Amino acid sequence: MVSNEQRRRQLAREKFERQQQRREEARRKGRRRNAVIAAGLAVVLAAGAGAYATGALSGDDKKDSADAAPETSQKPSKGPDPCAKAAPGSPATKTWKSEPEMGIDKSAAYAMDLKTTCGTIDVKLDAANAPHTVNSFNFLAGEGYFDHTKCHRLTTSGIYVLQCGDPKGLGSGGPGYTLPDENLKDSRLKGNVYPAGTVAMANTGQPHTGGSQFFLVYQDSPLPPTYTPFGTIGAEGMKTLKKIAGAGESRGAGDGAPNATVVIDKATVAKS
């Protein structure tokens, strides 16, 4: 006959086992969510003159995405837009067949200023360790390539980044050429984490496929070291990013277009 004490212990053990199962299920879904969001940072190279499309999923990935971030039938509430009206002008449409010739001094210091509708994002560029990437940004900024472009994507769960650099504003644009991966052994990328303040390239998930799209990390984000880190955001830029992130994203699922209307009015690169 089972005593009251034995029954109490049995019930406690069963409750503990149920709690462990629920925690493991939550961890499993969290890992899936992080993997899906991280995969979405990649851009998929399509046929034709450097056309891109972001976040392609297939097969089981679609199921995992649904498990990780189920959507409700109600559209998430949207607060006031914290950003100003964009300056007059249209994004560039020009593309190039090949990477620009090296035109920067690898031993010099360079800075990029992104004058956005939400405030300035100041970036110290790493020309010594990512010369091809910095040279490309110097070239594209000089061509006005980033001017009047939207930052089309904000992630607020799992990883914490704002993605920009596509003149189409949809994650489907590129300069027509690709860049080699650089600086993937940067000592700052410890434990597969891109620290807050990092600026890095998006890619297709395959080596040497960066184009013009890049992401700005506003909070430490777990990612594999496969995205070229090429800059560090300054104090003013981090304040701007926090304001953008604070407005949330449009889908309410942790990954979507930012609620803030983030437009790069003018991008400049210069020796600092």
Side-chain angles (χ1 to χ4, degrees):
M1 181 175 179
V2 178
S3 68
N4 289 337
E5 178 62 20
Q6 288 174 324
R7 179 59 178 165
R8 185 187 67 80
R9 290 179 180 177
Q10 180 182 356
L11 292 173
R13 183 171 62 253
E14 290 173 352
K15 179 179 179 181
F16 175 77
E17 290 172 351
R18 289 194 300 271
Q19 289 174 334
Q20 291 298 101
Q21 289 173 352
R22 286 195 295 268
R23 288 170 181 170
E24 177 57 31
E25 178 66 14
R27 284 193 292 267
R28 182 183 66 81
K29 289 186 176 182
R31 288 193 296 268
R32 285 182 172 181
R33 180 188 66 239
N34 289 355
V36 169
I37 296 174
L41 279 173
V43 291
V44 179
L45 187 63
Y52 291 81
T54 58
L57 299 174
S58 60
D60 292 339
D61 285 340
K62 290 181 180 178
K63 177 177 179 295
D64 290 348
S65 180
D67 287 346
E71 294 189 42
T72 65
S73 59
Q74 294 181 340
K75 189 175 182 179
S77 60
K78 183 177 180 179
D81 191 337
C83 301
K85 185 178 179 180
S90 300
T93 58
K94 186 176 180 180
T95 58
W96 296 265
K97 292 183 179 180
S98 59
E99 176 188 353
E101 293 183 4
M102 188 62 62
I104 63 167
D105 179 356
K106 299 176 187 178
S107 64
Y110 287 84
M112 178 169 65
D113 268 357
L114 303 175
K115 303 293 185 184
T116 82
T117 50
C118 309
T120 297
I121 301 175
D122 53 319
V123 180
K124 180 181 178 182
L125 299 175
D126 191 352
N129 294 304
H132 288 271
T133 306
V134 173
N135 182 66
S136 176
F137 271 72
N138 180 61
F139 169 77
L140 292 174
E143 292 286 331
Y145 182 85
F146 297 111
D147 298 351
H148 312 296
T149 62
K150 285 185 177 181
C151 292
H152 58 277
R153 186 177 187 199
L154 180 72
T155 61
T156 61
S157 178
I159 60 174
Y160 307 91
V161 307
L162 176 70
Q163 191 166 339
C164 313
D166 171 19
K168 295 183 178 181
L170 300 170
S172 57
Y177 59 82
T178 57
L179 296 168
D181 294 334
E182 300 178 289
N183 201 28
L184 298 183
K185 294 184 179 181
D186 191 319
S187 61
R188 294 172 297 176
L189 307 182
K190 296 178 181 178
N192 287 356
V193 171
Y194 280 62
T198 302
V199 184
M201 294 298 292
N203 59 41
T204 70
Q206 298 299 315
H208 316 304
T209 54
S212 62
Q213 294 188 43
F214 61 99
F215 59 92
L216 305 122
V217 183
Y218 63 89
Q219 185 175 319
D220 290 0
S221 296
L223 285 166
T226 56
Y227 307 97
T228 295
F230 67 96
T232 304
I233 305 164
E236 183 179 6
M238 289 302 294
K239 289 181 181 178
T240 299
L241 281 176
K242 292 289 185 179
K243 178 168 69 172
I244 295 166
E249 52 81 24
S250 60
R251 293 177 62 241
D255 182 13
N259 286 330
T261 306
V262 192
V263 178
I264 300 173
D265 286 332
K266 184 68 178 177
T268 57
V269 174
K271 284 187 178 182
S272 59

